[in-house]
Amino acid sequence: MKIKLTFWRVVFLVIMALGIYSTIIRYSRGLGTATNMSDQFPWGFWIGFDCLCGVMLAAGGFCIVGAVYLFNVRGLHSVVRPAVLTAFLGYLLFIVGLLFDLGRPWFIWHQLIYMNPRSVMFEVGMCVMTYTTVLFFEFLPNVFERFNLHTPIKWIHKIYPVLIVLGILLSTLHQSSLGSLYLIMPSKLHPFWYSPALPFFFFASAVAVGLAMTIFESTQSSKALGRQLELSVLVRLGGALLVALWVNALLRFEDYFHRGLLRQIVRPSYEAYFLWLELALSFVIPITLLSFKKIRLSPNGLYLASVISLFGFITNRLNVSVIGFETYVGHHYVPKWTEFSVTLMIVAMGFALFRLAVQYLPIFPKEELVSEQLDAELLSKVKTVTSPAVPALENAGN
């Protein structure tokens, strides 16, 4: 079979080549040669983007699964599989990124033996490891359907209620705990980004990003595979995203007001410029766009608003992990090109694996190989172990 060499495939090959070269440098010469991190700045671009942003961008899995199977929002059923796929790939690539950032990654298994239950980092590590296992089992039915193995699918469906509840619980724990990591640094992190409410901010922003990421991946997959967009699903997601953005914006405003920072925010400064960029991309622009019904009913409008909000929350994570520490450290941190190339390689791997999965697995099946009766049975089982559905959430996108 002849493979056509397109522009994007050439770009992919270049990114992979540079990433592999940077990987050799990192593992042969150490972090000091491959990065601009130091004892004063030990958490750099790899923690800020590969870890904090990587986990956040994979939040669509627990958001959509929770909406469908806990709150019985049936209209979102068609995006459950791609959301689970994105989450599974996101956590796998997060682990790959962590292997680059750790000084001695071959000791990563030590957390299973030398446990420290009082450590937030230990809790994050265990939750990520356990949730990745849960996502693996949630993803398995796609493989079984590809090979027409219906009996294992029924076995997975029997434990699916437990997987759903466990997955949502683990996601809630570690999404918020990533913010808890910074609670021990009140004197180091700039007041614009340090807050006792950081765990709540991290979780709330993950919910918004999960919705935006689902819109993004649905639009991109439809273009790449020639699928028709389900506009009703995107409209509902856009309405829910607008609500989530307002909740996040009000939480941040209340925090700044309570801590007396509103005057400091409007005063020009190095940190204020990055905060203005973050707030504009996270809230002002996407909320303004989604407030117009014409944009909420337009696939292109929804895609634009979701992409802008994604860039905004990525900026937030980088501000927390990088910009917020520069005043304390006393110098600016600029990542080396090797840091960028490794991150680009990981992102490119994610896009490539997603494309391969949707090409060869029934992520977007033409017809369900598992009947709707199984889904109805699953919904009834989940409802027996969770609280009753909230009807108002089903109309969130209206």
Side-chain angles (χ1 to χ4, degrees):
M1 184 177 66
K2 205 179 238 188
I3 299 177
K4 187 178 180 181
L5 203 61
T6 63
F7 171 77
W8 288 112
R9 284 176 181 167
V10 172
V11 171
F12 174 78
L13 292 174
V14 171
I15 290 174
M16 293 302 295
L18 292 175
I20 292 171
Y21 176 73
S22 300
T23 300
I24 295 172
I25 294 177
R26 184 264 174 266
Y27 284 106
S28 62
R29 302 183 184 178
L31 287 172
T33 303
T35 73
N36 276 335
M37 293 186 291
S38 62
D39 290 341
Q40 293 75 32
F41 224 119
W43 286 4
F45 184 69
W46 283 345
I47 287 292
F49 189 88
D50 298 2
C51 296
L52 297 187
C53 293
V55 170
M56 174 185 67
L57 293 172
F62 86 91
C63 290
I64 301 302
V65 169
V68 172
Y69 294 119
L70 289 186
F71 300 111
N72 199 13
V73 185
R74 296 177 183 269
L76 300 180
H77 188 273
S78 61
V79 293
V80 169
R81 292 187 180 192
V84 170
L85 171 61
T86 302
F88 184 44
L89 292 177
Y91 278 87
L92 288 179
L93 295 176
F94 159 74
I95 294 171
V96 172
L98 198 60
L99 294 177
F100 280 91
D101 185 77
L102 294 175
R104 292 184 289 180
W106 46 88
F107 288 147
I108 193 172
W109 58 273
H110 276 198
Q111 68 171 341
L112 299 174
I113 307 299
Y114 307 107
M115 297 185 179
N116 182 8
R118 295 182 179 85
S119 168
V120 175
M121 194 172 293
F122 169 78
E123 186 269 342
V124 171
M126 293 300 294
C127 282
V128 167
M129 181 180 64
T130 311
Y131 184 49
T132 304
T133 305
V134 170
L135 286 170
F136 170 76
F137 284 105
E138 290 183 350
F139 177 74
L140 264 184
N142 298 290
V143 181
F144 292 148
E145 287 186 20
R146 173 68 175 81
F147 297 101
N148 294 323
L149 302 174
H150 297 292
T151 302
I153 294 176
K154 293 180 180 179
W155 294 343
I156 294 291
H157 272 73
K158 288 181 180 179
I159 64 171
Y160 223 75
V162 176
L163 293 177
I164 291 169
V165 175
L166 185 61
I168 294 173
L169 175 64
L170 292 170
S171 296
T172 303
L173 287 172
H174 73 259
Q175 290 285 358
S176 58
S177 294
L178 287 172
S180 301
L181 288 174
Y182 292 89
L183 292 181
I184 62 174
M185 311 174 190
S187 61
K188 298 181 180 180
L189 187 58
H190 194 277
F192 285 167
W193 295 286
Y194 178 84
S195 169
L198 268 177
F200 300 100
F201 293 157
F202 269 58
F203 175 74
S205 60
V207 173
V209 168
L211 297 168
M213 195 65 187
T214 305
I215 296 174
F216 171 79
E217 71 189 13
S218 298
T219 306
Q220 284 295 323
S221 62
S222 68
K223 292 179 180 179
L225 303 176
R227 295 177 55 255
Q228 185 176 358
L229 277 172
E230 297 185 57
L231 184 57
S232 61
V233 175
L234 294 185
V235 170
R236 180 167 294 187
L237 289 171
L241 175 60
L242 178 60
V243 174
L245 291 177
W246 268 117
V247 170
N248 276 272
L250 291 175
L251 286 174
R252 292 286 295 276
F253 177 82
E254 191 280 333
D255 178 68
Y256 288 140
F257 176 79
H258 180 74
R259 294 191 292 126
L261 292 176
L262 293 180
R263 289 187 179 180
Q264 189 176 346
I265 288 173
V266 298
R267 191 178 302 131
S269 66
Y270 174 77
E271 290 81 11
Y273 297 145
F274 284 94
L275 180 63
W276 295 349
L277 176 64
E278 171 193 330
L279 296 179
L281 294 176
S282 300
F283 306 124
V284 178
I285 299 176
I287 287 177
T288 302
L289 290 174
L290 293 172
S291 297
F292 292 96
K293 188 175 182 179
K294 183 178 179 181
I295 292 179
R296 289 204 309 274
L297 297 177
S298 165
N300 292 332
L302 288 169
Y303 178 75
L304 177 63
S306 65
V307 170
I308 292 174
S309 64
L310 287 175
F311 277 117
F313 286 110
I314 289 173
T315 304
N316 166 256
R317 294 295 197 263
L318 293 176
N319 282 343
V320 170
S321 59
V322 177
I323 303 301
F325 287 96
E326 290 187 339
T327 300
Y328 173 80
V329 175
H331 66 83
H332 298 308
Y333 161 80
V334 179
K336 276 189 178 180
W337 73 269
T338 46
E339 294 179 73
F340 284 117
S341 64
V342 167
T343 297
L344 283 175
M345 178 184 68
I346 294 174
V347 172
M349 288 169 55
F351 276 99
L353 291 173
F354 186 91
R355 183 179 178 86
L356 288 174
V358 298
Q359 276 185 327
Y360 297 103
L361 296 175
I363 306 299
F364 297 102
K366 293 181 180 179
E367 58 180 10
E368 293 291 340
L369 296 178
V370 179
S371 66
E372 293 183 1
Q373 183 180 0
L374 283 175
D375 293 323
E377 292 175 0
L378 176 58
L379 282 170
S380 63
K381 289 179 182 178
V382 175
K383 287 167 69 177
T384 61
V385 295
T386 56
S387 59
V390 181
L393 291 180
E394 191 168 354
N395 299 318
N398 297 332

